[in-house]
Amino acid sequence: MATVRRFFVEKAEGETSLTGDEFSHAVNVLRLREGDEVVLLDGSGVEYDAVVRRVGRHELVCGVVGSRPSDKEPRTRVRLLVGALKGDKTELVVQKATELGVAEIGVFTSRYSSAYMNENKVQRLRKVAREAAKQCLRATVPTVEYYPDLAAALASCGAFPNKLFACEFAQKSDADLRALCGACTLAVGSEGGFSEEEFALARAAGFAGVTLGRRILRAETAAIAFTAVAMFALGELG
Ligand code: SAH
């Protein structure tokens, strides 16, 4: 069965146009034509069934014919903070975290991280999140923000009932991952790891240190495994 193509739009209503990247993808890559069925997503958690009405030079006009709440979105809000990683590793983490159901992603620079971030890279990460969200049938795209230091990333988390800091040198966990319940922020370091001072800063900001076991995981493994374990404990992967 051919899957119905999914597109994110600003707002889905009556007649809705695909423009920009979504237009090019729909017309040049997927070769959508008048009469084809699509699903439009406006990030509100609702899926809109629509039919292609017209294909113009710069826009593809769809008519919305129905809608339903998505059953794919997690019930629990999970925010992932991850140190900026080298090469395309941050993209990998954004892609996997999106599939696993995170709502928000914060990328930060910390004392021992050497990867460089700029606005273009953040835009690229947002695109990766959008594509991953479509592929795994989500109805919302996780937000992606960049914080130039760990303090700003930690401060961005506000009132989460659970704030967990994966610390490679923590001997034991200060929180029980198995008993996790309610919204969570998960923080994971970059390849260089965290310093003692950064761990102290996180604790002062209300984070509980957790260990992910006796082996040192690569940063991307840690970010993906930590997210998966938390989602499982929250009942989102069962
Ligand atoms: N360069 C560091 C390792 C960094 S691992 C060293 O040699 O010690 C990158 C990040 O993954 C860490 O900052 C931590 O957030 C997470 N991580 C990796 N292994 C972990 C473990 N066993 N327990 C908790 N966090 C871990």
Side-chain angles (χ1 to χ4, degrees), residues 79-81 154 157 160-167 173-178 180-188 194 199 202 206-212 226 229-230 233-234:
R79 177 176 177 83
L80 174 67
L81 296 180
L154 297 174
C157 300
F160 277 82
N162 301 288
K163 297 190 199 181
L164 306 175
F165 190 87
C167 183
S173 292
D174 296 326
D176 184 359
L177 277 181
R178 289 173 193 81
L180 213 50
C181 178
C184 309
T185 286
L186 313 172
V188 180
F194 288 123
F199 187 26
F207 280 74
V210 296
T211 171
L212 297 175
F226 196 15
V229 164
L234 292 165

Short mmCIF file of all heavy atoms in Angstrom, two decimals, residues 79-81 154 157 160-167 173-178 180-188 194 199 202 206-212 226 229-230 233-234:
data_model
loop_
_atom_site.label_atom_id
_atom_site.label_comp_id
_atom_site.label_asym_id
_atom_site.label_seq_id
_atom_site.Cartn_x
_atom_site.Cartn_y
_atom_site.Cartn_z
N ARG A 79 12.08 16.54 27.10
CA ARG A 79 13.01 17.52 26.50
C ARG A 79 14.41 16.92 26.57
O ARG A 79 14.81 16.42 27.63
CB ARG A 79 12.94 18.81 27.33
CG ARG A 79 13.89 19.92 26.92
CD ARG A 79 13.59 21.14 27.80
NE ARG A 79 14.49 22.24 27.53
CZ ARG A 79 14.33 23.12 26.55
NH1 ARG A 79 13.29 23.02 25.75
NH2 ARG A 79 15.20 24.10 26.38
N LEU A 80 15.13 16.97 25.48
CA LEU A 80 16.50 16.44 25.46
C LEU A 80 17.48 17.58 25.29
O LEU A 80 17.37 18.36 24.34
CB LEU A 80 16.66 15.43 24.31
CG LEU A 80 18.08 14.90 24.09
CD1 LEU A 80 18.53 14.02 25.27
CD2 LEU A 80 18.18 14.11 22.79
N LEU A 81 18.44 17.66 26.21
CA LEU A 81 19.55 18.60 26.05
C LEU A 81 20.78 17.79 25.69
O LEU A 81 21.12 16.84 26.39
CB LEU A 81 19.83 19.33 27.37
CG LEU A 81 18.75 20.23 27.94
CD1 LEU A 81 19.24 20.84 29.26
CD2 LEU A 81 18.40 21.33 26.94
N LEU A 154 20.62 24.72 30.85
CA LEU A 154 19.98 24.25 32.08
C LEU A 154 18.87 25.21 32.50
O LEU A 154 17.79 24.78 32.92
CB LEU A 154 21.01 24.13 33.21
CG LEU A 154 22.14 23.11 33.00
CD1 LEU A 154 23.17 23.22 34.13
CD2 LEU A 154 21.61 21.69 32.89
N CYS A 157 15.15 25.10 31.09
CA CYS A 157 14.24 23.96 31.36
C CYS A 157 13.12 24.26 32.33
O CYS A 157 12.15 23.49 32.39
CB CYS A 157 15.04 22.77 31.86
SG CYS A 157 16.23 22.27 30.63
N PHE A 160 10.23 21.44 35.03
CA PHE A 160 9.98 20.03 34.75
C PHE A 160 10.00 19.24 36.06
O PHE A 160 10.92 19.44 36.86
CB PHE A 160 11.06 19.46 33.82
CG PHE A 160 10.83 19.72 32.38
CD1 PHE A 160 11.19 20.94 31.82
CD2 PHE A 160 10.27 18.76 31.55
CE1 PHE A 160 10.98 21.20 30.48
CE2 PHE A 160 10.07 19.01 30.22
CZ PHE A 160 10.42 20.23 29.68
N PRO A 161 9.03 18.35 36.28
CA PRO A 161 9.08 17.56 37.51
C PRO A 161 10.31 16.65 37.58
O PRO A 161 10.77 16.32 38.66
CB PRO A 161 7.79 16.74 37.46
CG PRO A 161 7.25 16.85 36.09
CD PRO A 161 7.82 18.10 35.49
N ASN A 162 10.81 16.23 36.42
CA ASN A 162 12.02 15.38 36.41
C ASN A 162 13.10 16.05 35.58
O ASN A 162 12.86 16.35 34.41
CB ASN A 162 11.72 14.03 35.77
CG ASN A 162 10.63 13.28 36.48
OD1 ASN A 162 10.81 12.79 37.58
ND2 ASN A 162 9.45 13.23 35.86
N LYS A 163 14.27 16.25 36.20
CA LYS A 163 15.41 16.76 35.45
C LYS A 163 16.57 15.82 35.72
O LYS A 163 17.01 15.69 36.86
CB LYS A 163 15.77 18.16 35.92
CG LYS A 163 14.67 19.19 35.70
CD LYS A 163 15.25 20.55 35.98
CE LYS A 163 14.21 21.59 36.24
NZ LYS A 163 14.79 22.91 36.48
N LEU A 164 17.03 15.17 34.66
CA LEU A 164 18.04 14.12 34.83
C LEU A 164 19.29 14.45 34.03
O LEU A 164 19.19 14.86 32.86
CB LEU A 164 17.46 12.79 34.35
CG LEU A 164 16.12 12.37 35.00
CD1 LEU A 164 15.59 11.10 34.34
CD2 LEU A 164 16.27 12.19 36.49
N PHE A 165 20.43 14.25 34.63
CA PHE A 165 21.71 14.64 34.05
C PHE A 165 22.57 13.38 33.94
O PHE A 165 22.98 12.82 34.97
CB PHE A 165 22.34 15.66 34.99
CG PHE A 165 23.56 16.36 34.48
CD1 PHE A 165 23.44 17.51 33.72
CD2 PHE A 165 24.82 15.91 34.81
CE1 PHE A 165 24.57 18.20 33.27
CE2 PHE A 165 25.96 16.59 34.37
CZ PHE A 165 25.82 17.74 33.60
N ALA A 166 22.79 12.91 32.71
CA ALA A 166 23.61 11.70 32.53
C ALA A 166 25.06 12.06 32.76
O ALA A 166 25.67 12.80 31.98
CB ALA A 166 23.42 11.14 31.13
N CYS A 167 25.61 11.54 33.85
CA CYS A 167 26.96 11.92 34.22
C CYS A 167 27.86 10.69 34.19
O CYS A 167 27.63 9.73 34.93
CB CYS A 167 26.94 12.54 35.62
SG CYS A 167 28.57 13.11 36.07
N SER A 173 22.90 6.53 40.63
CA SER A 173 21.88 7.48 40.19
C SER A 173 21.18 8.11 41.39
O SER A 173 20.87 7.42 42.36
CB SER A 173 20.85 6.77 39.32
OG SER A 173 21.44 6.36 38.11
N ASP A 174 20.91 9.39 41.30
CA ASP A 174 20.14 10.07 42.35
C ASP A 174 18.65 10.02 42.06
O ASP A 174 17.85 10.60 42.79
CB ASP A 174 20.58 11.55 42.45
CG ASP A 174 22.02 11.66 42.88
OD1 ASP A 174 22.47 10.80 43.68
OD2 ASP A 174 22.72 12.59 42.40
N ALA A 175 18.27 9.40 40.96
CA ALA A 175 16.83 9.26 40.62
C ALA A 175 16.64 7.86 40.07
O ALA A 175 17.56 7.31 39.46
CB ALA A 175 16.44 10.29 39.57
N ASP A 176 15.45 7.30 40.28
CA ASP A 176 15.18 5.95 39.80
C ASP A 176 14.54 6.02 38.41
O ASP A 176 13.38 6.39 38.27
CB ASP A 176 14.24 5.25 40.80
CG ASP A 176 13.99 3.80 40.41
OD1 ASP A 176 14.53 3.36 39.37
OD2 ASP A 176 13.24 3.13 41.14
N LEU A 177 15.34 5.68 37.42
CA LEU A 177 14.83 5.76 36.03
C LEU A 177 13.62 4.86 35.81
O LEU A 177 12.74 5.18 35.01
CB LEU A 177 15.93 5.34 35.06
CG LEU A 177 16.95 6.41 34.67
CD1 LEU A 177 17.95 5.84 33.69
CD2 LEU A 177 16.22 7.59 34.02
N ARG A 178 13.58 3.74 36.52
CA ARG A 178 12.46 2.78 36.33
C ARG A 178 11.14 3.37 36.79
O ARG A 178 10.09 2.98 36.31
CB ARG A 178 12.71 1.51 37.12
CG ARG A 178 13.82 0.66 36.58
CD ARG A 178 14.10 -0.49 37.53
NE ARG A 178 15.36 -1.12 37.19
CZ ARG A 178 16.54 -0.66 37.55
NH1 ARG A 178 16.64 0.43 38.27
NH2 ARG A 178 17.64 -1.27 37.18
N LEU A 180 10.19 6.53 36.64
CA LEU A 180 9.96 7.85 36.04
C LEU A 180 8.48 8.08 35.74
O LEU A 180 7.80 7.20 35.21
CB LEU A 180 10.75 7.90 34.74
CG LEU A 180 11.34 9.21 34.28
CD1 LEU A 180 12.12 9.88 35.39
CD2 LEU A 180 12.23 8.96 33.07
N CYS A 181 7.99 9.27 36.07
CA CYS A 181 6.58 9.57 35.84
C CYS A 181 6.46 11.08 35.64
O CYS A 181 6.99 11.85 36.44
CB CYS A 181 5.81 9.12 37.08
SG CYS A 181 4.08 9.45 37.00
N GLY A 182 5.83 11.50 34.58
CA GLY A 182 5.67 12.93 34.32
C GLY A 182 6.75 13.49 33.41
O GLY A 182 7.71 12.79 33.04
N ALA A 183 6.58 14.75 33.04
CA ALA A 183 7.48 15.39 32.08
C ALA A 183 8.93 15.36 32.54
O ALA A 183 9.21 15.47 33.72
CB ALA A 183 7.03 16.84 31.86
N CYS A 184 9.86 15.19 31.58
CA CYS A 184 11.29 15.07 31.94
C CYS A 184 12.16 15.91 31.03
O CYS A 184 11.89 16.01 29.84
CB CYS A 184 11.84 13.68 31.65
SG CYS A 184 10.96 12.34 32.25
N THR A 185 13.24 16.38 31.60
CA THR A 185 14.35 16.89 30.82
C THR A 185 15.51 15.93 31.01
O THR A 185 15.80 15.52 32.14
CB THR A 185 14.81 18.27 31.32
OG1 THR A 185 13.86 19.24 30.92
CG2 THR A 185 16.12 18.68 30.70
N LEU A 186 16.16 15.56 29.91
CA LEU A 186 17.30 14.66 29.96
C LEU A 186 18.51 15.42 29.42
O LEU A 186 18.42 16.00 28.34
CB LEU A 186 17.06 13.44 29.06
CG LEU A 186 15.70 12.73 29.19
CD1 LEU A 186 15.56 11.67 28.10
CD2 LEU A 186 15.57 12.10 30.57
N ALA A 187 19.61 15.43 30.16
CA ALA A 187 20.81 16.13 29.67
C ALA A 187 21.94 15.14 29.45
O ALA A 187 22.20 14.27 30.29
CB ALA A 187 21.23 17.20 30.68
N VAL A 188 22.60 15.29 28.30
CA VAL A 188 23.71 14.40 27.93
C VAL A 188 24.84 15.26 27.38
O VAL A 188 24.61 16.21 26.62
CB VAL A 188 23.26 13.40 26.82
CG1 VAL A 188 24.39 12.47 26.44
CG2 VAL A 188 22.06 12.58 27.29
N PHE A 194 31.39 15.86 30.66
CA PHE A 194 31.14 16.99 31.57
C PHE A 194 32.30 17.15 32.55
O PHE A 194 33.01 16.18 32.83
CB PHE A 194 29.85 16.74 32.37
CG PHE A 194 28.59 16.87 31.56
CD1 PHE A 194 27.68 15.81 31.48
CD2 PHE A 194 28.29 18.04 30.88
CE1 PHE A 194 26.50 15.92 30.75
CE2 PHE A 194 27.11 18.16 30.14
CZ PHE A 194 26.22 17.10 30.07
N PHE A 199 28.70 19.41 36.56
CA PHE A 199 27.79 18.53 37.29
C PHE A 199 27.22 19.29 38.49
O PHE A 199 26.01 19.24 38.76
CB PHE A 199 28.55 17.27 37.72
CG PHE A 199 27.67 16.20 38.33
CD1 PHE A 199 26.31 16.10 38.02
CD2 PHE A 199 28.22 15.28 39.22
CE1 PHE A 199 25.52 15.09 38.59
CE2 PHE A 199 27.43 14.28 39.79
CZ PHE A 199 26.09 14.19 39.48
N ALA A 202 24.61 21.71 37.34
CA ALA A 202 23.35 21.03 37.02
C ALA A 202 22.59 20.67 38.29
O ALA A 202 21.38 20.87 38.37
CB ALA A 202 23.64 19.76 36.20
N GLY A 206 18.74 21.88 39.90
CA GLY A 206 17.66 20.93 40.18
C GLY A 206 17.76 19.61 39.43
O GLY A 206 16.80 18.84 39.43
N PHE A 207 18.89 19.36 38.78
CA PHE A 207 19.05 18.09 38.05
C PHE A 207 19.58 16.99 38.98
O PHE A 207 20.44 17.25 39.83
CB PHE A 207 20.03 18.25 36.88
CG PHE A 207 19.42 18.89 35.67
CD1 PHE A 207 19.15 20.27 35.66
CD2 PHE A 207 19.10 18.14 34.55
CE1 PHE A 207 18.58 20.87 34.55
CE2 PHE A 207 18.53 18.75 33.44
CZ PHE A 207 18.26 20.11 33.43
N ALA A 208 19.07 15.78 38.78
CA ALA A 208 19.59 14.62 39.50
C ALA A 208 20.59 13.92 38.59
O ALA A 208 20.32 13.72 37.39
CB ALA A 208 18.44 13.66 39.82
N GLY A 209 21.74 13.56 39.13
CA GLY A 209 22.74 12.85 38.33
C GLY A 209 22.29 11.40 38.14
O GLY A 209 21.78 10.79 39.07
N VAL A 210 22.45 10.89 36.92
CA VAL A 210 22.15 9.47 36.72
C VAL A 210 23.31 8.81 35.98
O VAL A 210 23.99 9.44 35.16
CB VAL A 210 20.82 9.20 35.95
CG1 VAL A 210 19.61 9.71 36.72
CG2 VAL A 210 20.85 9.78 34.57
N THR A 211 23.50 7.54 36.28
CA THR A 211 24.50 6.77 35.56
C THR A 211 23.78 5.91 34.53
O THR A 211 22.65 5.48 34.76
CB THR A 211 25.36 5.91 36.52
OG1 THR A 211 26.17 5.04 35.73
CG2 THR A 211 24.52 5.10 37.48
N LEU A 212 24.44 5.68 33.43
CA LEU A 212 23.88 4.80 32.39
C LEU A 212 24.67 3.49 32.36
O LEU A 212 24.77 2.83 31.33
CB LEU A 212 23.91 5.49 31.02
CG LEU A 212 23.06 6.76 30.91
CD1 LEU A 212 23.27 7.43 29.55
CD2 LEU A 212 21.57 6.46 31.10
N PHE A 226 19.57 6.91 26.50
CA PHE A 226 18.92 7.61 27.63
C PHE A 226 17.48 7.96 27.26
O PHE A 226 16.53 7.74 28.02
CB PHE A 226 19.74 8.86 27.93
CG PHE A 226 19.46 9.50 29.27
CD1 PHE A 226 18.78 8.84 30.28
CD2 PHE A 226 19.92 10.80 29.52
CE1 PHE A 226 18.55 9.46 31.51
CE2 PHE A 226 19.69 11.42 30.74
CZ PHE A 226 19.01 10.75 31.73
N VAL A 229 15.36 4.73 27.11
CA VAL A 229 15.08 4.19 28.45
C VAL A 229 14.01 5.04 29.15
O VAL A 229 13.07 4.52 29.75
CB VAL A 229 16.40 4.16 29.27
CG1 VAL A 229 16.12 3.99 30.74
CG2 VAL A 229 17.30 3.04 28.76
N ALA A 230 14.14 6.34 29.04
CA ALA A 230 13.16 7.24 29.68
C ALA A 230 11.78 7.04 29.04
O ALA A 230 10.77 6.91 29.74
CB ALA A 230 13.61 8.69 29.56
N ALA A 233 10.32 3.82 30.29
CA ALA A 233 9.85 3.94 31.67
C ALA A 233 8.54 4.74 31.74
O ALA A 233 7.68 4.48 32.58
CB ALA A 233 10.93 4.60 32.53
N LEU A 234 8.38 5.69 30.85
CA LEU A 234 7.18 6.53 30.84
C LEU A 234 6.00 5.83 30.15
O LEU A 234 4.91 6.39 30.05
CB LEU A 234 7.47 7.85 30.13
CG LEU A 234 8.45 8.79 30.86
CD1 LEU A 234 8.95 9.88 29.93
CD2 LEU A 234 7.79 9.38 32.10
#
